Amino acid sequence: MINLHFTNEPKRIFYVIAVILTIALGLSSRYFNTFPPFIQSHAGDTVWAMMVYFLFRFFFVHSSKYAALYLSVIFCFIIEFSQLYQANWINTIRDTLLGALILGKGFLGKDLLRYCIGIVIAFVVDKWIYPIIAQKH
């Protein structure tokens, strides 16, 4: 069951911070040449999928981590497959910075693997690191 409660909980703060950090990391991987080429070419999509996971956890904090994992995979795959649709109106949106960051530009099968890796990393962070942080506070 999915519960949506907007209360000021420490979990939500963790997820907001995680989203902000993933956005910063993702943007820096795309716009700064400080990362090795391999990381620079793969990190953006991986970190974007991590952000999607943390957003699902933020909105559905009382639901299962597995629900966020599954919803994130479905959402990311829908976005990627939507890139096969190339109508003028959606390409106009994709031509903006925000549109390109959210919707992407063109379908790449390897992006599906990047998304899965990012979601699994976020899931592991959520499962293993959040409890350590929560225990200290």
Side-chain angles (χ1 to χ4, degrees):
M1 173 151 195
I2 296 177
N3 298 314
L4 186 60
H5 301 283
F6 287 101
T7 59
N8 189 10
E9 299 177 31
K11 276 187 177 182
R12 287 199 197 280
I13 294 168
F14 172 79
Y15 296 124
V16 166
I17 292 168
V19 166
I20 291 168
L21 289 175
T22 56
I23 289 171
L25 185 60
L27 290 174
S28 67
S29 75
R30 297 236 182 208
Y31 296 106
F32 300 110
N33 292 325
T34 57
F35 295 99
F38 177 82
I39 292 176
Q40 195 166 351
S41 65
H42 298 289
D45 294 315
T46 304
V47 175
W48 182 82
M50 291 172 66
M51 181 203 64
V52 169
Y53 174 88
F54 290 130
L55 282 171
F56 275 114
R57 289 296 290 151
F58 173 81
F59 286 111
F60 305 113
V61 73
H62 298 292
S63 297
S64 160
K65 290 175 181 69
Y66 290 99
L69 185 135
Y70 300 135
L71 289 171
S72 299
V73 170
I74 291 167
F75 179 83
C76 290
F77 277 42
I78 287 171
I79 292 294
E80 190 63 30
F81 282 106
S82 77
Q83 294 170 23
L84 294 170
Y85 180 69
Q86 294 291 318
N88 286 337
W89 70 271
I90 198 161
N91 286 337
T92 302
I93 296 170
R94 288 181 180 130
D95 286 338
T96 66
L97 177 62
L98 189 58
L101 290 172
I102 295 171
L103 299 175
K105 293 255 184 187
F107 178 84
L108 288 174
K110 62 185 169 184
D111 284 350
L112 301 173
L113 178 60
R114 293 172 182 159
Y115 298 151
C116 290
I117 290 168
I119 292 165
V120 168
I121 290 169
F123 179 83
V124 168
V125 166
D126 194 14
K127 189 169 180 74
W128 296 89
I129 294 178
Y130 174 75
I132 293 169
I133 293 169
Q135 195 175 40
K136 292 183 180 184
H137 295 302

